[in-house]
Amino acid sequence: MSRKYKIVHISQTPLVAAPSKIAIAQRMIGHDAIAIALNDYPNNGPLFGKFIEDYIVEDEFTKSLVDNAIQSADIIHIHNDIPPAWAERLLHANQTAKFFYQVHSPLREGPLYLPRQTDIKLPFSASFVVGQFQPRIHNEHIFVPNIIHDIPKGTIRKKGEKLRVIFSPTHLRPGRWNNKYVAELDSAMNSLVSLGKIEAVIPNKPVSPKTLMTMRKTCHVTIDEIATGGFHQVSIEGLAAGNVTINRADYFCKAVFSSFSEGVPPPFVYATGESIADRLEELANDWEKTAEIQESSLNYFKSYLTPEKMAKVFDNAYETF
């Protein structure tokens, strides 16, 4: 059984809550873990205030708490980047902690990211990367998972129910791996809505992650992205919500992800821009197939992807180095 650590996660921004979710999961299995964000997202942008809830942001009131956490930490886990002054502060405050680096972003895509682990003057024991499409780019890193904390629960489709499909891209940003939009999806969904085959659930403004997940659990299908050959956190959320989860994840991405699930690949449904209309129509016409895949999604999440199990992946990574 793993020993219990004092762990501090540090990121410049909330990184859509990924570091704080790791800290929460680590607390669930007995570690003393916190997440520090140096800043929230810009207050004039759509993400402001949406992902900061479980972080500590340093101010006059919290500075002593942050100082104490840094000084007593066994593990300091840096995400994406920190300023040089923070690296100096960490080294000065704690000479015994093990340092780990984790990258979350593709290279040279918005928000513009370049590898920083060699620029941050800290003695990193190892570098991690989110185990989805990212290892294809950052191929010298150890795979670690994104973590979903929602209780797995879905609305399994019944006979006579119209297929409810949710699509909620956070942006329309172009890029090789950050792209989440293809025009064919709009055409397919508009046509199937017009024919009365599906009900489309598409937020018309930014909503909180909790609201979006609650809405997802009322749907039968989650569409992640069908542009790149990868997949994003929304696909894992789709599994937790008991949805048929549609993406374009290729063999490599699914094989990487299955390293967290005893080698069992996730029950994603593959689609491209050319095939998405057919995939959705097949599901719309077959409530039993929809229900079967939904049950597979829920069972997969419950079997392999609970926060407690994912936290142990980080234990193994820390203890390997």
Side-chain angles (χ1 to χ4, degrees), residues 304-318:
Y304 303 115
L305 304 181
T306 61
E308 294 90 342
K309 290 180 179 178
M310 296 298 93
K312 291 175 183 176
V313 174
F314 284 90
D315 281 2
N316 292 336
Y318 292 149

Side-chain angles (χ1 to χ4, degrees), residues 123-148:
F124 293 117
S125 296
S127 295
F128 304 151
V129 66
V130 177
Q132 293 167 200
F133 66 84
Q134 290 89 340
R136 182 180 253 117
I137 308 158
H138 307 282
N139 50 27
E140 301 296 323
H141 295 43
I142 307 302
F143 309 157
V144 291
N146 271 322
I147 299 179
I148 304 300

Side-chain angles (χ1 to χ4, degrees), residues 197-268:
K197 295 270 191 179
I198 69 171
E199 179 182 353
V201 179
I202 304 175
N204 57 9
K205 62 179 181 179
V207 297
S208 73
K210 290 181 180 178
T211 298
L212 192 58
M213 189 63 176
T214 301
M215 184 65 77
R216 196 178 303 284
K217 289 179 179 179
T218 72
C219 296
H220 308 122
V221 175
T222 282
I223 299 176
D224 181 355
E225 55 93 346
I226 52 173
T228 69
F231 69 94
H232 303 267
Q233 182 171 301
V234 69
S235 283
I236 312 172
E237 293 170 355
L239 298 177
N243 283 189
V244 177
T245 301
I246 298 177
N247 58 39
R248 197 176 175 174
D250 60 21
Y251 174 84
F252 176 84
C253 291
K254 288 186 286 189
V256 166
F257 190 70
S258 67
S259 66
F260 312 133
S261 57
E262 301 175 16
V264 179
F268 296 148

Side-chain angles (χ1 to χ4, degrees), residues 1-2 4-5 8 28 34-35 45 64 85 109 129 138 151-152 195 235 246 252 262 264 282 305 307 309 317 320:
M1 183 173 179
S2 173
K4 301 309 173 189
Y5 300 105
V8 176
M28 292 170 71
I34 66 168
S64 61
E109 294 189 23
V129 66
H138 307 282
I151 294 172
L195 291 169
S235 283
I246 298 177
F252 176 84
E262 301 175 16
V264 179
E282 288 167 7
L305 304 181
K309 290 180 179 178
T320 299

